[in-house]
Amino acid sequence: MNIVLVGPPGCGKGTQAKMLSEKLGIPHISTGDILRNAIAQNTALGKQVALYMEKGGLVPDDIVSAIVAERLSHDDASGGFILDGFPRTLEQAKSLESALLKKTHGKLDKVFYFDLADEAVIRRLSGRRSCKKCGRVFHITFSPPRRPDMCDNCGQPLYHRSDDEPDTIKQRLEIYKKQTVSLINYYKNQNVLATIPADRKIQDILEDVLSHTGNL
Ligand code: AP5
């Protein structure tokens, strides 16, 4: 199954994508994670994209589209994938279609739009803590780790993402509204969109999403 998750920053795309990936046995592909990894490893790509990400801006379409096209060509994505954070612009949506057509993937089966109000986004991002080693995501109130600031999964220290500071969150929300919201209608017109109210418990959201995939 070929799945895309769309929604404002902090709506829970990464949280749901990890669980869905396990349930459905298809890879979770997060452009944010790929780009953060490149920055952490100080690669040429990392140097190229660091400034955009620090300021909460979008990395240019051609860079992210090439990353995704390459990632989709790996064998593990041949039976389907979950794209988290891509596409984010119409331009990216169109290049995804060309990348899919070139491969045997065909088309998108479902685009899940996680609908969440700005106030909830701010609450979630201000309290998010992530593990640099295994990528597991926590929230100091909504899903706290067993030991403060330590990952339950691998025992490494958790960190607060630099783009989760109040001014950068505001900037990311503005960019989301300017550049990404138009994708909702784009996919609605293609009859692949399912709107998921995201201000609910993590497990309830997962069940809702799974019910649309026929895998409950
Ligand atoms: P990216 O990493 O994709 O960031 P984002 O889209 O802003 O999304 P987030 O990762 O912040 O949030 P999420 O929706 O995954 O929520 P999460 O599950 O963590 O992108 C970062 C940057 O990379 C961009 O700003 C841009 O610069 C660049 N980039 C990436 N892709 C790009 C592209 N395609 N084009 C151009 N540039 C690109 O949850 C958030 C918090 O809420 C967590 O603490 C979690 O525990 C908690 N939580 C989750 N679900 C619930 C729930 N149901 N109830 C309560 N708390 C919950």
Side-chain angles (χ1 to χ4, degrees), residues 87 89-97 108 111 180-193:
T89 64
L90 280 175
E91 192 67 33
Q92 291 179 18
K94 288 179 181 153
S95 55
L96 174 61
E97 275 149 35
L108 292 179
V111 175
T180 308
V181 161
S182 55
L183 289 180
I184 296 163
N185 263 333
Y186 181 76
Y187 286 124
K188 198 184 272 177
N189 291 336
Q190 294 187 6
N191 287 321
V192 287
L193 191 87

Side-chain angles (χ1 to χ4, degrees), residues 9-10 13-15 31 36 57 59 85 88 92 128 138 172 200:
K13 300 181 294 296
T15 301
T31 41
R36 275 186 292 279
V59 170
R88 261 175 151 96
Q92 291 179 18
R128 172 163 59 185
F138 300 86
R172 286 161 66 200
R200 292 183 289 164

Side-chain angles (χ1 to χ4, degrees), residues 7-16 30-33 35-36 52-53 56-59 64 84-88 92 124-125 127-129 137-139 142-143 161 163-164 172 198 200-202 205:
C11 65
K13 300 181 294 296
T15 301
Q16 295 296 329
S30 154
T31 41
D33 287 348
L35 296 167
R36 275 186 292 279
Y52 296 105
M53 293 182 68
L58 290 188
V59 170
V64 259
D84 157 14
F86 182 94
R88 261 175 151 96
Q92 291 179 18
R124 286 190 189 181
L125 293 184
R128 172 163 59 185
R129 298 290 181 274
V137 173
F138 300 86
H139 190 282
F142 306 132
S143 48
R161 265 171 52 178
D163 60 349
D164 282 348
R172 286 161 66 200
R200 292 183 289 164
K201 289 189 182 137
I202 290 174
I205 297 170

